[in-house]
Amino acid sequence: MLSSLAQAGFADAEHRFNAWFAGLDRGPQETPLTGCSAYAVVRALLGELSRHPWEPLADAAQTIALAARFGADRPMQAEDALAEEAIGRAITLMKQAGADDETPLPFAGLARLHALLRADPRFAPLERAVQIRSFGNRAVAIEQAAPRTPLWAVDAALGRLLTASGAWARALPCPGAVTAQTLQPQLWPGERAMLAARSLQRSVTRLAELVAQAPRRAALMREQLGHLRSSARAPQVWILLAGFAPLGLDQITWAFGISRRGTYAIGDALVAARMARRETVKGKVLLVAEEPGRDWQPASLDQATALPHAALAEFDAAMGEIDRLLAGSSGHP
């Protein structure tokens, strides 16, 4: 979501998001670069992801929507419909770009998608505005940044193209995979293909890092919270804290359907396990995720900890000797 807000032109989204999500501060600031409000972007994204065919993602989006306070006091506006239309149009283009793929590699479909986006008035890059300023007797033309088109909607729907080609099993969103740079009309085809592949690689790499992180976090929960009853909600709450944003006690009540007393019990369990801390922001208590020690690793995920101390000392000594030899020979040809 932060990536979508940044792409939409909200430069302060990362700084303001947590307090905004908790209903403690205003939303990210609209600028001449933004095409709609941050409220419209997050509502459209949560609405789309809540209907996602992959149940875990849909459940997560629905829980986040229940906990969110950033739109609680803001009625639906016309721009909300525009944001939803952007996602609908992006899905339509995915279907067109993914038709008749004969290979599991997504690059042919990606090239077709970029051609469709460049021809679509909703997503094609806008011209930069030029402002004329007078300085004494001289008129100076100052080129301004172009307003953003809603490529965040394309990122949200791109997984449909990857699954259509057989490259992916799940139509996951790909934050940052489609950029305005790859849609510039002056690019030659090979250059556009390289830029598109590079952007997709960066996006998929970030997703892969999250997947690699999941077993470690699952092991951490078993280690720290395994003594709780199977019906305990503390692990679910920590997943949302660690994966999305801090939560107030009222948000936990709304999102997980538990009593106020239950939220205190969850907070106590997570604080006792060193998996969360309490912070007071503008008079409101928030639970903030923590991990007990940055060097914590379960034995099954960190084989190095199984080495005896003597072996580690021997290894360190050998590496020190190599460093010494390299340093001694660095002055000779």
Side-chain angles (χ1 to χ4, degrees):
M1 192 157 307
L2 286 176
S3 176
S4 296
L5 289 169
Q7 191 285 321
F10 296 97
D12 60 345
E14 185 169 0
H15 173 68
R16 292 192 173 277
F17 186 84
N18 288 350
W20 181 45
F21 176 64
L24 300 175
D25 203 351
R26 65 172 178 83
Q29 184 66 44
E30 296 176 36
T31 71
L33 301 182
T34 56
C36 61
S37 72
Y39 293 90
V41 173
V42 298
R43 282 175 171 169
L45 281 173
L46 288 175
E48 171 61 21
L49 296 179
S50 294
R51 299 184 294 270
H52 198 277
W54 191 38
E55 188 175 348
L57 181 55
D59 289 344
Q62 291 166 16
T63 301
I64 291 168
L66 289 172
R69 296 297 94 196
F70 39 47
D73 57 349
R74 185 180 174 112
M76 297 286 286
Q77 300 181 7
E79 60 184 12
D80 289 78
L82 294 176
E84 292 175 0
E85 290 172 4
I87 289 184
R89 181 58 180 163
I91 293 173
T92 299
L93 296 182
M94 296 303 155
K95 294 177 180 177
Q96 296 176 14
D100 302 326
D101 260 345
E102 298 178 356
T103 170
L105 294 177
F107 302 113
L110 202 59
R112 289 193 294 269
L113 174 64
H114 280 82
L116 291 169
L117 292 172
R118 294 198 310 276
D120 193 293
R122 189 186 302 272
F123 299 111
L126 300 175
E127 294 289 337
R128 293 187 176 215
V130 177
Q131 186 176 24
I132 305 300
R133 294 281 185 89
S134 296
F135 293 92
N137 296 326
R138 298 181 59 188
V140 178
I142 301 176
E143 190 177 45
Q144 298 176 315
R148 304 292 180 88
T149 58
L151 293 180
W152 54 267
V154 178
D155 289 340
L158 185 61
R160 297 170 184 263
L161 176 63
L162 300 179
T163 55
S165 69
W168 276 14
R170 307 290 183 187
L172 298 177
C174 302
V178 178
T179 66
Q181 183 184 14
T182 60
L183 300 181
Q184 295 303 318
Q186 70 272 17
L187 297 178
W188 53 275
E191 186 179 10
R192 192 185 312 281
M194 287 189 294
L195 289 173
R198 193 172 300 159
S199 297
L200 180 60
Q201 182 208 21
R202 286 195 293 266
S203 179
V204 172
T205 298
R206 286 196 293 269
L207 292 176
E209 289 170 351
L210 293 176
V211 171
Q213 190 182 56
R216 181 184 186 277
R217 287 190 164 179
L220 175 61
M221 286 194 298
R222 288 194 299 270
E223 180 78 15
Q224 301 297 109
L225 303 174
H227 62 284
L228 300 177
R229 293 178 299 177
S230 60
S231 60
R233 298 294 184 89
Q236 298 175 36
V237 172
W238 186 76
I239 290 173
L240 188 57
L241 292 176
F244 196 75
L247 294 172
L249 298 184
D250 53 349
Q251 292 175 281
I252 297 174
T253 298
W254 297 321
F256 296 95
I258 58 180
S259 66
R260 186 75 173 183
R261 180 177 297 178
T263 64
Y264 291 117
I266 287 173
D268 290 342
L270 292 176
V271 170
R274 296 182 298 150
M275 297 184 71
R277 68 180 186 277
R278 290 185 173 95
E279 286 188 1
T280 301
V281 179
K282 295 186 176 181
K284 183 174 182 177
V285 177
L286 299 180
L287 278 179
V288 183
E290 286 192 329
E291 294 191 15
R294 292 184 179 180
D295 57 346
W296 183 91
Q297 288 280 1
S300 60
L301 297 180
D302 186 5
Q303 298 300 325
T305 57
L307 292 174
H309 179 74
L312 289 174
E314 184 178 352
F315 176 79
D316 289 340
M319 294 302 295
E321 180 65 15
I322 291 173
D323 290 341
R324 186 185 66 78
L325 293 173
L326 291 174
S329 61
S330 60
H332 301 283

